[in-house]
Amino acid sequence: MSDTGLEQFAENFRQDIIAGSRDVDAGVFSEEQFTDLMLGYLADAGEIDDREICSHQARGIKVNGYAFFNDNEGLDLFVSHYTSECPPVRVAKGDLQQQLKRLRTFFDRAIRRDYTNLEESSPAFDLADRIYQLRNRLTHIRLFVLTDGIASIDAIEDEICGSYRISGHVWDIQRLHRLVSSESRPEPIEIDLVSEFGKPLLCLPMPEENSVYTSYLCIIPADVLADLYGKFGPRLLERNVRAYLQVRGNVNKGIRDTVLNQPHMFLAYNNGISATAENVELVDTDSGAPGIRRIRDFQIVNGGQTTASIYHTRTKDKKDISGVYVQVKLTVLKNPEDIDYIVPKISEYANSQNKINTADFTSNDPFHVTIQKISRQMWAPAKRGSQMETHWYYERARGQYQDDKARKITPKQRRVFGEQNPTGQRFTKTDLAKFEQSWDQLPHIVSLGAEKNYRDFIIRYRERGEFVPDAEYFRLLIAQAILFRRTDKIVQGLKYGGYKANIVTYTVALLSKLTNQRVDLERTWKAQALSPALEDTIATLSRIVHAHITIPPGGKNITEWCKKEECWESLQKENISLPDALKPELVDDETVRARDARTRCRTEETEASGTGQADGHGPAQPRESVDYEQFIRKLTPQKWLKIIRDAAGAECFSHEEIALLRRMQKMSGRGMKPKKEQVLQAEKILQTLAEGDRKEGADS
């Protein structure tokens, strides 16, 4: 990694902070923008589960953000040391230790309930109070120091303080650059089984090796598995979205009951877990059998719910699980380039019964790729008083905007890029989820945090039916973005003193509810602004929302109250009416129904099938006289999606064949040309589907 590369990254990072500070009002300090941007990178890479910005500083204490994880048994606390210097300067070890000490003091005072001097209506009070309420449940505390400088500090040893394991972590601009340069993969989890658990893990290697992987069968004590999950949490599962989503719900009742009532039968009843690693170090054990001493880049790709359920049963039920054992199949992949292809398949084939049975919803999914493509092509109308049309830039991968800008050769080209792609019109996948979920009247989900809300958005997108976005969807999405961001500015200007993020999402959701989503989004897109009547309505509704969420029943924690569906339901029961000035602007129900992207997609599928049937039966397949190869190469992502649905519904195709169709869909969305063998395989699948349709037609 060259100094030039680091300096360019640091400069792009600094420009993002400046742009973010300019996009919001001057009341938001650069340090908050730095914290949010830094934590966004770490969340994207899976180093942290989520984040909430919460800035508070007083004598001897400081905190800039936090996140609870592992069902409120883990806590991340963040403190920032922002220098605003570029090139990055070296930050003294003593300065970083001082920040860590101030953060630790905040935690220590919280668990002692020594925070009564904080303003009770402030987010910092909420955080301290939440820590106190969970003091007997928390087990793992991670303290993070974030800096845009270069840290001068060695590794920080973990500390056991009563029932808490407290670990310290420093993320500087150099470490962040390494993370981003390595394609945003989390830093690998390294486990020394001998030093941490006293002995190696006995294993049975596969009898014959090959050039792709080596597999080992192991039986791991449940206590070891629970300790690993307690230490690393969701990071153990981040390699695969499917595995990650397994732990979104409650503890699996069957797993818990077996651990509690029949621990000796767990190994017989449970299917075990599948895991991957970059490499392992083997040693000979006293018994003569090989044992695994060290594992690098350990990831659980199937069995996330088993792992989490064992952990929670031990911690919640205080159950001794020393007699419980879990079967592990550990696959060591020899070629790093195989990871993104093989890991999802391991998970997919092990979870064929799982409801969420599609490929990983990563930034490479056709949904995101298509939105990016539209965002680069579609010009937004010029705002009033301007003649310049602009783009709403979708940042599919973090840092993409600055990378694109940096690729412009001359200062003039970079200036033109900035004018055509204003930073205030840049948005990410978590922003998209906030816009959509707020408009869909799910403010309590949005209040959970950016990453949790995004994961919920993924699940709802899948459960309601996938679709490939079109131009109309994009225009409506941007109208929602304008509505959300203008609401944010209005709320900021009203200076409520805290809980801005909650007030904004609840206000947008309330507006959507009261109008039955009849706000004129089409007009908003054309004007690239809200009408005066709509802005006045937003200000009025925000006052109602603020009064509602800041007086929770029974003196509940305000931040936690906003995350409850009860908070949203009780707001809807209040007697709230729309101002008369807004009513003439509302569109009719037919316009609202026409906005449904899934309905448009189904209509296009029906037309593409050439059958004219209302149910859309029969994929976009060619007649027998059509050249299959040409037909396949011209299929759009939306038509591929229809074929995938029909193939999955036919229940006669293998996992490999469905996976091939998904690859063909992705290549179509990216404009890539499939290989000859892929076309031939797809041809066979389409022929099988066509034959099935002809037989069904003959029988009817």
Side-chain angles (χ1 to χ4, degrees), residues 225 236-238 240 243 273-276 298-304 307:
L225 194 60
L236 284 176
L237 315 173
E238 283 291 341
N240 186 274
I273 67 174
S274 295
T276 61
F298 182 69
Q299 285 282 303
I300 296 171
V301 297
N302 176 51
T307 305

Side-chain angles (χ1 to χ4, degrees), residues 54-281:
C54 175
S55 296
H56 176 74
Q57 184 172 354
R59 184 174 182 180
I61 62 172
K62 185 181 180 183
V63 64
N64 290 95
Y66 69 95
F68 292 94
F69 62 95
N70 275 3
D71 199 20
N72 291 330
E73 292 170 6
L75 169 64
D76 287 339
L77 288 173
F78 309 104
V79 64
S80 292
H81 184 87
Y82 179 58
T83 69
S84 75
E85 296 288 340
C86 194
V89 297
R90 190 161 293 278
V91 181
K93 180 178 180 179
D95 291 340
L96 298 174
Q97 289 176 328
Q98 180 67 18
Q99 297 286 22
L100 200 61
K101 181 180 179 181
R102 298 171 81 186
L103 187 62
R104 173 65 184 273
T105 301
F106 180 87
F107 172 75
D108 289 341
R109 290 188 181 181
I111 59 175
R112 296 197 308 265
R113 208 173 190 177
D114 182 15
Y115 51 84
T116 53
N117 59 323
L118 294 176
E119 173 58 49
E120 288 194 24
S121 62
S122 69
F125 180 92
D126 269 4
L127 171 58
D129 190 57
R130 185 68 175 159
I131 293 172
Y132 177 76
Q133 297 297 331
L134 295 171
R135 66 192 184 283
N136 295 324
R137 184 168 184 167
L138 290 168
T139 58
H140 189 190
I141 314 301
R142 301 194 301 177
L143 307 178
F144 290 79
V145 180
L146 315 173
T147 180
D148 60 332
I150 298 175
S152 304
I153 193 167
D154 299 324
I156 303 170
E157 294 292 327
D158 288 6
E159 175 188 352
I160 303 299
C161 182
S163 60
Y164 308 122
R165 180 198 289 123
I166 301 177
S167 59
H169 309 265
V170 176
W171 277 92
D172 64 358
I173 196 70
Q174 195 170 52
R175 187 179 178 188
L176 183 68
H177 181 221
R178 285 198 300 268
L179 177 71
V180 174
S181 300
S182 61
E183 300 180 0
S184 293
R185 287 189 197 230
E187 292 192 331
I189 291 173
E190 299 197 29
I191 303 166
D192 188 324
L193 291 158
V194 174
S195 65
E196 292 191 44
F197 302 105
K199 59 181 179 181
L201 182 64
L202 290 174
C203 66
L204 177 66
M206 61 189 290
E208 294 183 12
E209 290 198 19
N210 59 55
S211 60
V212 180
Y213 71 94
T214 300
S215 277
Y216 303 88
L217 294 181
C218 317
I219 295 178
I220 189 170
D223 270 319
V224 172
L225 194 60
D227 284 345
L228 292 175
Y229 188 75
K231 181 176 182 178
F232 298 108
R235 281 190 61 203
L236 284 176
L237 315 173
E238 283 291 341
R239 170 74 30 89
N240 186 274
V241 171
R242 295 169 52 80
Y244 196 95
L245 294 178
Q246 287 178 336
V247 301
R248 72 183 178 95
N250 296 323
V251 175
N252 182 286
K253 187 175 184 296
I255 295 174
R256 176 179 177 274
D257 288 347
T258 303
V259 173
L260 291 176
N261 303 317
Q262 294 179 290
H264 61 290
M265 296 302 297
F266 190 88
L267 187 62
Y269 291 164
N270 188 265
N271 289 331
I273 67 174
S274 295
T276 61
E278 180 183 309
N279 60 57
V280 297
E281 179 184 328

Side-chain angles (χ1 to χ4, degrees), residues 318-334:
K318 309 299 181 185
K319 172 68 177 178
D320 179 6
I321 60 172
S322 57
V324 178
Y325 294 90
V326 183
Q327 172 185 290
V328 179
K329 181 182 73 173
L330 179 62
T331 300
V332 180
L333 300 173
K334 298 180 179 180

Side-chain angles (χ1 to χ4, degrees), residues 384 478-490 508 511 519-521 523-539 582 585:
R384 186 173 183 178
I478 298 309
Q480 292 174 31
I482 294 168
L483 174 63
F484 188 95
R485 290 188 167 173
R486 185 57 190 152
T487 301
D488 188 277
K489 290 282 185 72
I490 291 169
V508 172
L511 177 68
V519 171
D520 195 342
L521 297 178
R523 175 179 174 179
T524 298
W525 161 260
K526 291 175 182 176
Q528 292 290 293
L530 306 185
S531 69
L534 184 52
E535 292 201 354
D536 290 344
T537 300
I538 288 169
L582 182 64
E585 296 184 6

